Structures are given as C-alpha cells and as structure tokens.
Amino acid sequence: MHGLRHTHASVLIYKGANIHSVSKRLGHSDIQTTLDHYSHVLKEMEERDEEIAINVYSS
C-alpha cells in the first residue's frame, strides 16, 4: 500500500500538481516533509525543464 501511495504522489508531482496540494493530500504536517521525500521527482522535473528551456531558445 505504501508503494502505491508513493507512486501516486510521484506521478502527481511529475505531472505538475501543486506541491502544496500533494502535501495536503498525503497528510504531511508541512511541505518540507513532502519536498524531502519526493526530491528525486523534483530533480527529474528540473532536468526536464532545462531541456525544454534549451529547446525553446535554440529554435
């Protein structure tokens, strides 16, 4: 069950859901808990966003 919860939250974050909403959905007492647990997803998003920025400015 915990794996499903983690996957659910990871997908929501990766698809652009507001981190505050995800934190609330998970019942975390503060957003820092969510950021700590899902930093790997945020890192992937940062890499994706960098690629998007490069593509925007190279065309």
Side-chain angles (χ1 to χ4, degrees):
M1 195 62 159
H2 183 75
L4 181 59
R5 172 186 159 95
H6 184 75
T7 300
H8 173 70
S10 296
V11 169
L12 286 175
I13 294 167
Y14 191 78
K15 291 294 187 176
N18 183 294
I19 193 75
H20 291 282
S21 299
V22 175
S23 184
K24 184 177 177 182
R25 176 182 287 265
L26 295 172
H28 291 161
S29 57
D30 59 56
I31 193 171
Q32 190 61 50
T33 302
T34 310
L35 291 170
D36 291 345
H37 282 84
Y38 296 95
S39 61
H40 64 284
V41 178
L42 297 171
K43 178 66 176 161
E44 287 179 39
M45 291 174 68
E46 181 180 354
E47 291 168 2
R48 180 187 66 189
D49 291 348
E50 186 173 329
E51 203 171 298
I52 290 169
I54 289 169
N55 289 335
V56 165
Y57 293 110
S58 65
S59 8

